[in-house]
Amino acid sequence: MKALIVDDQASIRGMLKMLVSELKFEQILEAENGVDAVASYKENKPELVLMDINMPKMTGVEALGLIMEHDSEAVVVMLTSQDTVLVVRQCLEAGASHYILKNSPPPQILEQLKELMTDWYG
């Protein structure tokens, strides 16, 4: 299985890559903006996308919309430090599978991802 981590901050991508590597993905891809995320998704068809909302070139919500247009079954988990009802609603309405606060402690993020992967893929 493949995962795609999308965040404009290399340090965040690195931390997420360490967490996701514990979920037994064979390949972990990275993108630093929404434009690259959409292109990588179309080329690689990852089973999981972890995507930041605030990024240059194209926001995570815009990229999510394009990914969902391409593949309505895509599993995209949005990551952000914003937890307003409006932001959560935007993500879910655009097709996000789940929403995780990226300022959560890394063990908590990993636990949420493990639970989600079990729910989705058994």
Side-chain angles (χ1 to χ4, degrees):
M1 291 196 345
K2 297 177 197 170
L4 172 61
I5 297 171
V6 187
D7 197 293
D8 57 327
Q9 296 179 32
S11 60
I12 299 291
R13 288 195 313 271
M15 182 269 296
L16 291 170
K17 191 171 186 173
M18 283 185 356
L19 295 177
V20 170
S21 68
E22 295 189 35
L23 299 173
K24 298 182 175 64
F25 282 92
E26 290 91 31
Q27 188 176 11
I28 302 172
L29 309 162
E30 296 182 39
E32 62 182 31
N33 61 61
V35 172
D36 292 347
V38 172
S40 183
Y41 186 88
K42 288 179 178 180
E43 181 179 332
N44 298 291
K45 293 283 193 201
E47 284 78 14
L48 173 66
V49 179
L50 298 176
M51 185 153 33
D52 185 22
I53 290 178
N54 294 319
M55 294 183 293
K57 296 187 182 182
M58 179 186 295
T59 70
V61 176
E62 292 168 327
L64 169 63
L66 292 174
I67 288 171
M68 296 309 293
E69 281 178 22
H70 178 75
D71 179 3
S72 63
E73 301 296 313
V75 176
V76 182
V77 175
M78 302 304 288
L79 293 161
T80 187
S81 53
Q82 301 177 41
D83 64 350
T84 65
V85 172
L86 177 62
V87 171
V88 173
R89 186 180 305 133
Q90 278 181 323
C91 291
L92 296 176
E93 286 176 356
S97 303
H98 196 70
Y99 185 96
I100 294 177
L101 292 175
K102 71 177 176 181
N103 54 357
S104 300
Q108 186 177 341
I109 293 173
L110 179 59
E111 227 14 74
Q112 288 181 53
L113 289 173
K114 282 180 181 177
E115 289 175 21
L116 293 170
M117 294 305 294
T118 300
D119 288 349
W120 294 325
Y121 297 110

